[in-house]
Amino acid sequence: MTPQSYWAEYAWTGGRVERGVVVDTAADGRIAAVRTGAAAPPVGAVTLRGLTLPGLANAHSHAFHRALRGTVQQGSGTFWTWREAMYRVAAALTPDTYFDLARAAYAEMALAGITCVGEFHYVHHRPGGAPYAEPNAMGEALIAAAAEAGIRITLLDTVYLSSGFGAAPEPHQLRFSDGDAEAWAERADALADRSHARIGAAVHSVRAVPADQLAAVVRWSEDRQAPLHVHLSEQPAENEACHAAHGVTPTRLLADHGVLGPRTSAVHATHLTDEDIALLGGSGTTICMCPTTERDLADGIGPAKRLQEAGSPLSLGSDSHAVIDLFEEARAMELDERLRTRTRGHWTAAQLLRAATADGHASLGWADAGRLEAGALADFTTIALDSARTAGPPARLGAETAVFAATGADVRHTVVGGRHVVRDGAHQLVHDVGAALGAAISAVPAAEGTPS
């Protein structure tokens, strides 16, 4: 990468807004220096008008769910009826169509200021469960898609073995399963980190991974020092079934099998007991909240504030991609808590931005990202401060403007590893993201279906 200097009209550094900040990037894709007090752009610097923030980390994604946007908004139902529509799309994917769909979805993320995605990936095999000639064809398609969209990815290769607490997979789940955790680990071992990609692990859920298989997943994660993610207590039905099978909550089951800890992220964590919150917080497990999906699927409002107070860092994800907008996820976490408690001000804008940046990156294994400082990865994004949504507040309130007023549509620039991926609101690698999304989704016929 050619070294480049960027001049930010305003930048959020050290938890506050600074005016006139020069960010020098190095050939290795890192920030060489951050200089404040530059009244005008230095010669040769790229001008970034607006507020520059660290790149946003989308800590929980299912890329193929992007094909469901709009189509699942007809009629009524629950998470479980929505899931049937999701299965139909999953059944129709091939490595080529998944690459096209993920490339377009990841390009949409870059347009929204996202520089890194955590892809919770479980569509591993052919329909029916037979492996591809290249066993990781689907995972490699996602890694390649992120590269072409210009963003980083942590591929969270997911263990999915059961239709529920030891029951055999149903026909539409066969392509998710490796048979057992040892076979999963053998396949996942063939996946390698690269400059834009890191490999992590995921337990789909306690219902999809039998308890006696959890230790193998934890061992794999420990051996590679890799992130480990898990869907947790998204629905009361999961808690009830876990009690029936094991006599404990899903959180206690995970704790008893060594799954919780600082490298682990629990996604959703919506329906928890007091003991669950203490176990998660006490272990330092990160909680990934996905408010736009949780409200879209009528999941409920999780106890995010209590979890953070108990010791859990928070991250954010767009999950099912009902929208792809980390600013909306950040403010939704605060606004949902206001609705639940009928009081305001549970997090500052700075705290919410930290969840969307540094803590999100850390949960994905990129602890060297999410900050505007020398030595960090040169990943940052700039939002307009003069749009119809953001105009008015003084620049010193830029963090509040970003979290409580801006949307992904206000992103003007996205830089990843020093590379200018989005310039003046236009993606430089995928030149018509809307057309790319339309073509990719139309190539997956089941995407036109609706929930039963």
Side-chain angles (χ1 to χ4, degrees):
M1 194 69 61
T2 303
Q4 177 65 60
S5 293
Y6 293 88
W7 179 80
E9 183 181 20
Y10 297 96
W12 190 66
T13 64
R16 64 181 183 275
V17 175
E18 298 275 3
R19 182 172 187 170
V21 177
V22 177
V23 180
D24 297 319
T25 67
D28 63 359
R30 294 182 177 272
I31 296 174
V34 176
R35 296 175 280 141
T36 60
V43 174
V46 175
T47 296
L48 306 176
R49 292 285 179 189
L51 175 66
T52 296
L53 304 164
L56 307 177
N58 187 354
H60 189 66
S61 162
H62 301 288
F64 74 91
H65 290 190
R66 177 60 181 83
L68 294 167
R69 187 184 298 175
T71 67
V72 292
Q73 303 305 331
Q74 304 175 70
S76 61
T78 66
F79 167 85
W80 306 102
T81 53
W82 168 89
R83 194 173 68 154
E84 297 307 311
M86 179 270 289
Y87 282 149
R88 289 197 292 272
V89 173
L93 295 170
T94 69
D96 288 342
T97 59
Y98 205 6
F99 167 82
D100 290 339
L101 179 55
R103 173 179 174 268
Y106 296 158
E108 182 183 359
M109 292 183 196
L111 288 176
I114 292 164
T115 56
C116 184
V117 61
E119 184 60 40
F120 201 102
H121 165 56
Y122 54 83
V123 187
H124 300 306
H125 307 298
R126 299 178 188 273
Y132 289 98
E134 163 48 62
N136 285 304
M138 296 294 266
E140 292 291 350
L142 292 165
I143 291 170
E148 292 214 6
I151 69 171
R152 303 185 195 277
I153 185 172
T154 295
L155 186 76
L156 298 161
D157 199 277
T158 302
V159 188
Y160 195 130
L161 306 174
S162 169
S163 62
F165 296 97
E170 296 177 3
H172 47 262
Q173 297 166 330
L174 289 171
R175 71 182 311 188
F176 308 160
S177 177
D178 290 290
D180 60 37
E182 294 295 341
W184 164 82
E186 182 178 354
R187 180 183 52 74
D189 273 339
L191 291 162
D193 290 355
R194 52 215 82 173
S195 60
H196 81 291
R198 293 182 180 168
I199 309 302
V203 170
H204 179 273
S205 57
V206 294
R207 68 177 187 274
V209 181
D212 63 3
Q213 301 291 300
L214 292 170
V217 187
V218 173
R219 185 165 58 249
W220 188 94
S221 172
E222 290 176 344
D223 288 347
R224 291 184 63 143
Q225 291 294 289
L228 175 59
H229 287 221
V230 55
H231 289 135
L232 178 64
S233 292
E234 183 176 3
Q235 289 288 323
E238 177 182 289
N239 293 354
E240 293 161 6
C242 188
H243 267 288
H246 298 288
V248 295
T249 67
T251 300
R252 169 52 75 183
L253 187 68
L254 294 175
D256 288 348
H257 288 81
V259 177
L260 304 184
R263 276 200 321 279
T264 300
S265 291
V267 183
H268 303 306
T270 308
H271 303 282
L272 303 178
T273 66
D274 290 345
E275 182 194 38
D276 292 341
I277 292 170
L279 287 169
L280 291 162
S283 64
T285 298
T286 294
I287 305 300
C288 181
M289 304 301 294
C290 306
T292 65
T293 291
E294 289 148 8
R295 67 192 184 195
D296 183 59
L297 298 183
D299 288 341
I301 300 171
K305 187 63 179 178
R306 290 185 62 200
L307 284 159
Q308 186 179 51
E309 290 172 343
S312 286
L314 299 177
S315 64
L316 298 166
S318 63
D319 191 1
S320 69
H321 312 315
V323 297
I324 292 176
D325 189 336
L326 264 288
F327 301 113
E328 175 62 21
E329 303 294 346
R331 72 171 150 264
M333 190 162 67
E334 165 67 26
L335 298 183
D336 285 354
E337 189 71 6
R338 293 181 186 185
L339 284 175
R340 194 177 65 81
T341 63
R342 290 179 289 177
T343 60
R344 304 175 76 238
H346 301 277
W347 292 277
T348 66
Q351 289 172 320
L352 294 169
L353 282 176
R354 181 178 176 86
T357 57
D359 286 347
H361 280 98
S363 78
L364 297 176
W366 300 88
D368 49 354
R371 302 179 305 281
L372 292 179
E373 62 183 43
L377 292 169
D379 300 354
F380 42 92
T381 189
T382 304
I383 63 165
L385 293 178
D386 59 357
S387 76
R389 290 165 294 279
T390 61
R396 63 181 174 79
L397 297 179
E400 287 75 11
T401 301
V403 171
F404 292 104
T407 73
D410 294 307
V411 170
R412 293 295 173 263
H413 303 277
T414 301
V415 173
V416 183
R419 182 189 198 186
H420 209 158
V421 174
V422 174
R423 185 189 295 264
D424 295 320
H427 203 292
Q428 302 300 291
L429 307 176
V430 182
H431 297 299
D432 188 336
V433 176
L437 283 163
I441 292 168
S442 67
V444 183
E448 298 177 2
T450 57
S452 57

